[in-house]
């Protein structure tokens, strides 16, 4: 809570911040337009800056459109102006070159933007009311295989950006106990499973997920040399009648349990316990907003929670660690190890069943 325990703003700065909130959708779309039209890139390439007339000449865009975007960029903080010459700022550099910013912007635009119009409805109903902009599904996970290509592309880019950054460094933490069999629940496209079988030549990984996701994974894995050590098990973890496969040294849940409510997390983990061999462990990788080193990271996670509310399923979020661990303990598990600051924003929880 280190970033959120004091209000140090003056009345003036608070009012300015309120205007940023009021115009946030406009700021977002203007920034995307400045990025996508090439205006920001063009100005950045000229270290001495460009006049509006030069931008119009170079981009071949209408003068009016260029004028309103350049003037908006000043207030947003993407450009400065000196003697009618525009120059880019540090913020513009991040919009143009920072992978995290690009992934987040594309995710918000393609996956979240239209659906967030229905956020308030979701607050009342506990259902992803914004998902209807894409079609009639109960959750986004059922819809993934059928979403428009650009939406799927941005969804997976967002998901993989945060998971891929942590996988390499976390493998030694998982394999120090030399598991021979791993159940990867919510395996998605199989990136973690491929990392595991590439890291240890003896391990066998079983991916458990919905049919649409497993079909995608099977296509990507089929021709790889280690394909025989990756197995597949179809199942909807929300269906309590679905039996989880058993006899595993480890159960792996990466960026998965944040897709469920507190009660659903407990239910899933209770069934995960039954998949373990004696002395087996459950490894949970999550990004908790209260465990972040930087305020911007905490902010991003808090806002991502509202994607879950309006689009994904209506009842999950990026959790505060205390809330999440309470759900873990309710499943009859104890957390025996916690490792923070992994990758961009992650924490690893190592859990085992509480002895009777």
């Amino acid at each position: 809570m280190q970033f959120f325990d004091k209000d140090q703003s003056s009345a003036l700065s608070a009012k300015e911040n309120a205007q940023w909130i009021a115009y946030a959708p406009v700021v977002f779309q203007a920034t995307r337009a400045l990025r996508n039209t090439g205006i920001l890139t063009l100005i950045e390439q000229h270290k001495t800056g460009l006049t509006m007339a030069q931008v119009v000449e170079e981009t071949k865009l209408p003068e009016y459109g260029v004028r309103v975007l350049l003037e908006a960029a000043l207030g947003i903080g993407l450009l400065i102006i000196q003697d009618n010459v525009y120059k880019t700022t540090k913020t513009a550099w991040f919009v143009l070159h920072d992978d995290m910013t690009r992934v987040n912007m594309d995710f918000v635009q393609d996956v979240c933007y239209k659906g967030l119009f229905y956020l308030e409805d979701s607050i009342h109903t506990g259902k992803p009311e914004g998902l209807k902009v894409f079609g009639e599904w109960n959750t986004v996970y059922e819809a993934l295989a059928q979403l428009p290509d650009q939406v799927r592309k941005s969804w997976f880019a967002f998901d993989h950006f945060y998971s891929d950054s942590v996988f390499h460094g976390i493998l030694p933490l998982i394999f120090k106990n030399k598991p021979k069999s791993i159940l990867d629940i919510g395996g998605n496209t199989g990136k973690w499973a491929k990392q595991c079988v590439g890291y240890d030549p003896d391990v066998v990984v079983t991916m458990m997920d919905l049919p649409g996701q497993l079909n995608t994974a099977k296509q990507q894995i089929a021709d790889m040399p280690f394909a025989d050590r990756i197995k597949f098990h179809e199942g909807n973890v929300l269906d309590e009648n679905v039996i989880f496969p058993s006899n595993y040294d480890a159960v792996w849940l990466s960026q998965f349990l944040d897709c469920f409510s507190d009660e659903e997390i407990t239910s899933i983990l209770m069934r995960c316990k039954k998949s373990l061999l004696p002395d087996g462990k459950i490894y949970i990788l999550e990004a908790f907003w209260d465990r972040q080193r930087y305020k911007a990271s905490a902010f991003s996670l808090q806002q991502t929670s509202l994607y879950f509310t309006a689009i994904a399923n209506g009842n999950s979020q990026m959790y505060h660690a205390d809330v999440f661990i309470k759900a873990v303990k309710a499943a009859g598990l104890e957390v025996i190890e916690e490792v923070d600051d992994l990758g961009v924003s992650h924490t690893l929880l190592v859990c085992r069943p509480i002895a009777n």
Side-chain angles (χ1 to χ4, degrees):
M1 298 293 191
Q2 58 178 321
F3 307 120
F4 307 107
D5 59 351
K6 296 181 181 67
D7 182 1
Q8 297 178 322
S9 56
S10 65
L12 179 60
S13 65
K15 188 169 184 177
E16 289 175 350
N17 192 44
Q19 306 322 302
W20 263 89
I21 294 170
Y23 282 96
V26 182
V27 170
F28 178 82
Q29 293 296 351
T31 301
R32 286 190 70 256
L34 284 155
R35 182 192 71 174
N36 293 353
T37 58
I39 290 175
L40 284 184
T41 297
L42 175 67
I43 297 174
E44 182 188 58
Q45 290 171 344
H46 292 76
K47 301 304 180 184
T48 57
L50 291 174
T51 64
M52 182 179 69
Q54 290 171 320
V55 174
V56 170
E57 181 180 359
E58 291 285 342
T59 62
K60 309 303 181 187
L61 291 168
E63 179 179 334
Y64 165 76
V66 170
R67 184 170 70 241
V68 294
L69 284 179
L70 291 181
E71 291 173 357
L74 295 174
I76 295 169
L78 298 168
L79 297 175
I80 60 171
I81 186 170
Q82 299 170 337
D83 298 325
N84 293 320
V85 173
Y86 291 91
K87 298 178 182 179
T88 54
T89 64
K90 295 181 181 70
T91 302
W93 187 95
F94 281 98
V95 168
L96 290 174
H97 303 293
D98 179 56
D99 287 340
M100 183 189 298
T101 303
R102 174 183 52 78
V103 164
N104 288 346
M105 286 188 70
D106 291 346
F107 177 75
V108 170
Q109 170 68 14
D110 297 328
V111 180
C112 304
Y113 202 86
K114 293 180 180 178
L116 280 170
F117 182 83
Y118 301 96
L119 172 63
E120 191 170 343
D121 294 341
S122 293
I123 295 296
H124 288 288
T125 66
K127 297 179 180 179
E129 303 293 350
L131 185 56
K132 62 190 173 189
V133 302
F134 299 119
E136 296 298 325
W137 293 282
N138 293 319
T139 72
V140 76
Y141 312 109
E142 301 167 23
L144 271 180
Q146 302 173 63
L147 291 176
D149 288 344
Q150 185 58 44
V151 177
R152 293 181 73 249
K153 179 181 178 182
S154 293
W155 192 96
F156 281 112
F158 181 82
D159 182 68
H160 290 164
F161 176 82
Y162 291 98
S163 61
D164 290 1
S165 67
V166 71
F167 280 172
H168 179 73
I170 209 169
L171 285 165
L173 300 177
I174 306 302
F175 282 92
K176 68 181 180 181
N177 294 316
K178 301 189 181 303
K180 298 302 179 187
S181 57
I182 298 176
L183 177 60
D184 178 8
I185 298 181
N188 213 326
T189 59
K191 284 205 168 189
W192 171 254
K194 289 185 284 187
Q195 292 269 352
C196 287
V197 296
Y199 186 85
D200 187 312
D202 298 318
V203 72
V204 175
V205 179
T206 299
M207 291 177 55
M208 182 177 180
D209 213 323
L210 296 170
Q213 279 82 307
L214 289 188
N215 288 335
T216 300
K218 289 176 183 177
Q219 293 171 12
Q220 296 187 11
I221 291 169
D223 297 328
M224 295 185 174
F226 45 67
D228 61 323
R229 290 191 287 119
I230 298 180
K231 312 298 181 183
F232 303 94
H233 184 92
E234 292 184 5
N236 181 354
V237 298
L238 286 179
D239 184 348
E240 296 196 359
N241 295 316
V242 170
I243 299 174
F244 288 21
S246 57
N247 296 318
Y248 290 91
D249 295 313
V251 175
W252 170 254
L253 303 113
S254 173
Q255 293 184 174
F256 181 70
L257 290 176
D258 54 53
C259 302
F260 303 97
S261 69
D262 309 29
E263 295 79 11
E264 289 167 345
I265 291 171
T266 297
S267 173
I268 292 167
L269 289 174
M270 288 176 71
R271 284 172 280 156
C272 285
K273 287 195 304 181
K274 299 177 182 179
S275 296
L276 291 175
L277 289 166
D279 299 324
K281 295 179 176 63
I282 297 174
Y283 297 86
I284 302 170
L285 187 68
E286 286 292 344
F288 301 120
W289 66 259
D290 62 306
R291 297 282 183 95
Q292 301 306 304
R293 286 172 288 177
Y294 304 107
K295 187 176 182 180
S297 297
F299 169 83
S300 297
L301 292 172
Q302 291 163 336
Q303 309 318 306
T304 299
S305 287
L306 301 178
Y307 144 76
F308 289 104
T309 306
I311 310 292
N313 56 20
N315 61 6
S316 68
Q317 66 173 113
M318 305 306 297
Y319 282 90
H320 186 292
D322 290 352
V323 175
F324 189 93
I325 292 173
K326 181 180 178 181
V328 172
K329 291 179 177 178
L333 296 169
E334 61 178 339
V335 179
I336 60 174
E337 186 176 1
E338 300 180 34
V339 185
D340 292 324
D341 298 329
L342 295 169
V344 176
S345 55
H346 288 79
T347 294
L348 176 68
L349 303 179
V350 184
C351 309
R352 67 185 178 195
I354 297 173
N356 294 326

